[in-house]
Amino acid sequence: MRYSRDLTGYGRTTPDPRWPGGARIAVQIVLNYEEGGENSIEHGDPASEAFLSEIIGAQPWPGQRHWNMESIYDYGARSGFWRMHRMLCDLPITVYGVATALERGPEQVAAMQEAGWEIATHGLKWIDYRNVPREVEADHIAQAVALHTAITGERPHGFYQGRTSMNTVALGCEEGGFAYLADTIADELPYWHVHNGRPQLMVPYTMDANDMRFSSGQGFGTGTDFFDYLRDSFDILYAEGAAGAPKMMSIGLHCRLAGRPGRAMAIQRFLDHARSHEGVWFASRLDIARHWAAEHPFQPRTRPSQMDRDAFVARFGGVYEHSPFIAERVWDAEMGAVHDTPGGLAGRMAQMFRASGDDERLGVLQAHPDLAGKLAQAKRLTADSTAEQASAGLDALTDAERAEFTRLNDAYVAKHGFPFIIAVRDHDKAGILSAMQARVDSDTATERATAEAQVTRIATIRLKEILK
């Protein structure tokens, strides 16, 4: 089985985004423009809208219009948008514009363009695509791009569907014309996603620093709640940036939600707070996408989880000395992006080794050569073992050193039934000899556990070299 999700990402050390001017944080504000694109009988939909409104717990009304729901959305276009426009018109924000909503808001579109805002596509309609057939969603995306282009005079460079299906990201990649997709909440930095061999930049969005939580039972109750959350998010990301790991802070706003007076003040207070700091880059999502593509272009790399079985075993079958069955079992089990890093693959191979039978694990130990033994002298070691022993100077021993290694090797094998094993790249020649002298008299159970731990350590070192 191949697991589709990437649960590793950038790992413990994130890349330096090198934001313009050495900024410590990139602040990216999205204004969702959905009013006029939501579910409505008048829009040809089967039921009224029920999502992201003041009506907590609202349900669709099949076959009926919902006056209160429609007027809540009307507020967003008629009043909330203009309050947000006055507040944000001097910033490079991104609008997620539903194409049919933009079509019904020509004055709002003109104001967006006068402010220099990026207008990304938010799909054709603000509907749930969960159960929409793939071909229908693909057609809607194509219609959205065409309609968006006709309305604004320029095709959208970014795409955020929002109420997605499991096909949405793939369809966005296949459309082929987007500088970035935003249907991901998986990170605080852009990242490259590969679909059918083609890289696509993803610029993650947010559902926590988002006014949508005013419309949920467990969300923000007051503007102060929202401001506190935005401020705290900013402060920790700013501190991380000052410490050398800058990130991106996304903020999601909706005209009918944040545009209400009691909530808009939270946005103003947050802007004042952010502007009081040096090294803050306010940017559109397209600004961020273009910057990332220039500073961190896609780099092809070996992805073990995508290799066929023969190629995988050929490449990694020797990581555990003369024991390709470990690699075979790894490939046959669940694999995914989490196994495409040295640490991820090492962990999976170690798991398979530890889950092997007692005789199998003993066989792996017995497959290891003696250190500085006869196989080394006869140049019959594997390439990995040869390089490892040479790295510790075991290929250049004096006669006295060789005699001591031979004596200890013989005594160790006679007592424990397998060779002395140590990750030689972690030690120099003197340290290895000292460890042999100390361990030869240990009890066999202890040595068995130590040797198995060393085998997994050796595999980890080998994988770091293979996948560097």
Side-chain angles (χ1 to χ4, degrees), residues 25 31 38 92 105 127 184 225 241-242 271 280 302 308 436 456 464:
I25 186 173
L31 182 63
E38 78 280 6
I127 63 174
T184 174
D225 294 339
L271 293 176
V280 178
T302 299
D308 65 44
M436 288 183 74
T456 62
K464 286 180 178 179

Side-chain angles (χ1 to χ4, degrees), residues 61-192:
W61 289 7
Q64 298 183 60
R65 294 178 64 180
H66 191 316
W67 180 267
N68 283 347
M69 182 64 71
E70 289 183 13
S71 62
I72 286 170
Y73 272 77
D74 292 349
Y75 177 90
R78 293 162 56 109
S79 185
F81 171 81
W82 297 109
R83 181 168 288 116
M84 291 291 95
H85 183 267
R86 290 190 294 273
M87 190 172 291
L88 301 170
C89 64
D90 62 340
L91 290 173
I93 76 166
T94 292
V95 175
Y96 286 164
V98 174
T100 49
L102 296 177
E103 185 178 34
R104 296 183 174 107
E107 292 191 29
Q108 291 90 339
V109 170
M112 297 172 195
Q113 293 179 318
E114 289 166 10
W117 291 348
E118 177 207 357
I119 309 177
T121 186
H122 198 357
L124 180 66
K125 304 178 72 172
W126 177 229
I127 63 174
D128 188 346
Y129 281 89
R130 172 182 46 176
N131 295 320
V132 172
R134 192 182 200 278
E135 61 275 13
V136 173
E137 186 176 3
D139 180 61
H140 279 203
I141 293 171
Q143 288 187 56
V145 171
L147 183 56
H148 185 110
T149 303
I151 293 165
T152 68
E154 182 181 14
R155 74 152 284 147
H157 298 287
F159 172 43
Y160 177 72
Q161 188 84 285
R163 297 160 82 173
T164 61
S165 74
M166 287 303 294
N167 297 314
T168 300
V169 169
L171 291 172
C173 294
E174 291 165 17
E175 195 277 341
F178 295 117
Y180 70 89
L181 304 182
D183 278 302
T184 174
I185 318 160
D187 215 300
E188 292 159 345
L189 288 173
Y191 62 91
W192 291 100

